[in-house]
Amino acid sequence: MTQTAVRHFPLYIGGERVDTDERAYGMSVRAVLDPTGPETATLFRLLREGSEEELHAHPHVLCSAALATPAQGEAALRAAAAAVPRLRAVPLAERLGYIENLHERFLSHRDELSRILRMEGCPRRLAEAQLNVVLDLVRPESLDQARSLLRQEITTARHTIVLQRQPDGVVCVDPPANAPLFGLIASLVTLAGNAVVIRVPRSCAGSLSYALHEIIIPALESCGAPAGMFNVLCADYEVTMRQWLESPLVDSIYYFGSSEHGLALERQCVERGKRAILELSGNDGVLVWRDADLEYATAALLEAFYASGQTCFSPKYVIAHPAIADELFRRLKTAASALRPGDPEHSDTVLSPVLRATAFHRCLNEALDAGATKICGGNQVDLRGEPDPHGLFIEPTVLRVDGFTLAETVAAVREETFFPLLSVVVPEDGPDLPARSIAFLNGNAYGLRNSLWAEDQEVIELFTTTVANGGLLKVNDSHLGHAPYLPGLGGTGHSGGTHGEAAYPFLRASRLQAVAIATTRTHPRDAILGG
């Protein structure tokens, strides 16, 4: 395999590229797939005592990124705060112009970004899915929609009414380590006039740094965006988050991560008068009705195993109408058992190494002990798909859970599972089954998205009007797939915090302001009394 030249990414503060002596290194998935190989052993030695030149020559090293000091983190916050008043003076049309050429730039860099994501261990299909979401959110039609949502003007007989969004100010972004490109979605807060400081996680510096330094920063610079509008740090999480929480310069923190940490962060932000914008864990449900297209529904349910279930908005549990449950299990068993591990860099596998094998086995055994039935899967396997108690992969696993009463007690159904485990709940039939199914979906503590497979229009109507849980509902469609104009993320409950909703970043990092401009001269007394 030909070694690609290793890139180095500096910090970006106040419009200037700043280098440091300390480094973080983006690693290839090969270091995980072959942890006992000689190249991996050499890598660990070089990380302790090797030179930068030696590390850049190592085949498992994808990139290096300059590590920020706390002083440089403070400098980034000052640069962002200084840019805010300048951004407030920039008309909305001009701010939209800053983003307009991102779509073309992402298209031109798409193949390289996809390659880097695969080298980091992201399966090809999930890499393409991430890129599709980002592309959809910066296409011209989406920016037109953003314009209409950020500012509306209404003409009445006596007034011009303006409904406009005012920016929060300085928004600090902490992206997800498992899908770093989704951190780019939060960058759209700039459309509302916010300045951004984004932290590149040390553990996944490659793809996100590439997108920031090769696509976003050059696009902003070519448009003459104010210096300090966008700042990039690669830094330690604990140090950076503490600095953001304590700094009076920070208005909002946009956080991607676990519900436990995110909801605790929300409380800390409230105590300090800051806004927490949260994209947290998920436990998405799918309702498969008796008249569903089972071929398509099965294909959508297999998305539960994309990246081995280690994405927040993949399907986690299913409610299967008892009339089609047996046939659905037959299809799921055949399709899930056919999924095999593979090298994400060189194959179309959807499975990836599982980081929480111990938690998987504990969750599976607890469900089986409670009365669930295993349909397929459940074993750790190696890269070839052969059984291996220490294997990095886990077979796609399907459980049958009979009845809502049992399902309420099973953590595999009611909690987020971050591994390849899909629980299928088969309730008792009856005339009130639609209402009971909706109540079960609404009773979920999480709330990213829910989906339905059905042909009955009454069932579709009931689902779309009464499922209040979740930021997104989908009907007869891919659960993971993105559609134009839809918000990329967002949710309720443990997925989005107290103020969670379907998330357009530029709306979540701004506040609605109403303006009334009188167009006729009316005495105030008459305005009040209607004379």
Side-chain angles (χ1 to χ4, degrees), residues 192-429:
N194 296 291
V196 168
V197 178
I198 185 169
R199 185 187 76 92
V200 175
R202 297 178 60 171
S203 61
C204 55
S207 55
L208 181 57
S209 290
Y210 179 89
L212 292 169
H213 286 273
E214 300 293 334
I215 300 175
I216 291 184
I217 291 173
L220 295 176
E221 290 180 336
S222 68
C223 294
M229 170 184 169
F230 203 86
N231 304 272
V232 177
L233 304 172
C234 185
D236 178 77
Y237 168 82
E238 295 290 346
V239 173
T240 304
M241 189 59 69
R242 186 163 56 248
Q243 186 175 57
W244 289 353
L245 282 168
E246 298 303 330
S247 175
L249 301 175
V250 175
D251 297 288
S252 299
I253 297 177
Y254 209 132
Y255 172 81
F256 296 75
S258 74
S259 296
E260 179 184 3
H261 289 141
L263 295 175
L265 174 65
E266 182 178 50
R267 291 191 291 271
Q268 291 177 289
C269 286
V270 170
E271 290 170 358
R272 293 162 174 80
K274 304 179 190 295
R275 183 196 296 221
I277 304 171
L278 305 175
E279 305 291 358
L280 307 177
S281 308
N283 184 28
D284 290 8
V286 183
L287 175 58
V288 181
W289 204 242
R290 65 183 306 152
D291 58 352
D293 183 323
L294 292 185
E295 177 186 351
Y296 279 48
T298 302
L301 294 179
L302 285 186
E303 294 169 8
F305 307 121
Y306 280 34
S308 292
Q310 296 169 117
T311 57
C312 57
F313 55 94
S314 58
K316 304 294 186 183
Y317 72 94
V318 184
I319 302 171
H321 193 288
I324 51 86
D326 289 342
E327 175 62 14
L328 181 63
F329 281 120
R330 186 187 69 78
R331 290 172 178 264
L332 274 175
K333 181 177 181 179
T334 300
S337 299
L339 297 177
R340 309 291 290 174
D343 187 329
E345 188 179 347
H346 301 298
S347 74
D348 283 328
T349 182
V350 299
L351 303 181
S352 56
V354 177
L355 303 177
R356 302 177 62 199
T358 300
F360 165 80
H361 289 297
R362 181 172 60 250
C363 183
L364 174 60
N365 290 333
E366 287 177 354
L368 296 177
D369 290 343
T373 304
K374 185 175 71 174
I375 301 300
C376 63
N379 299 309
Q380 285 181 244
V381 295
D382 60 20
L383 185 60
R384 298 168 300 169
E386 299 297 327
D388 180 352
H390 305 292
L392 294 174
F393 296 86
I394 293 177
E395 294 173 322
T397 305
V398 178
L399 289 179
R400 174 172 181 145
V401 180
D402 286 296
F404 286 136
T405 301
L406 175 59
E408 288 283 6
T409 69
V410 175
V413 178
R414 274 322 204 187
E415 298 297 328
E416 182 189 48
T417 55
F418 217 63
F419 27 74
L421 176 63
L422 179 67
S423 299
V424 182
V425 180
V426 184
E428 294 182 359
D429 204 353

Side-chain angles (χ1 to χ4, degrees), residues 1 3 16 35 50 61 68 79 149 259 262 271 324 326 378 391 438 482 485 510 524:
M1 182 177 65
Q3 171 75 1
E16 300 291 334
V61 174
L149 293 173
S259 296
E271 290 170 358
I324 51 86
D326 289 342
I438 299 299
H482 185 67
Y485 300 106
S510 61

Side-chain angles (χ1 to χ4, degrees), residues 69-119:
T69 64
Q72 288 161 332
E74 179 64 25
L77 295 179
R78 289 198 304 270
V84 168
R86 297 198 297 273
L87 282 167
R88 289 183 186 274
V90 175
L92 173 59
E94 190 173 336
R95 294 200 302 269
L96 287 162
Y98 297 156
I99 307 298
E100 281 178 348
N101 64 345
L102 283 182
H103 187 263
E104 193 62 37
R105 292 189 71 91
F106 269 111
L107 281 177
S108 64
H109 289 268
R110 179 172 188 150
D111 289 345
E112 178 64 4
L113 258 179
S114 179
R115 185 186 73 85
I116 295 172
L117 284 165
R118 296 196 306 275
M119 291 178 73

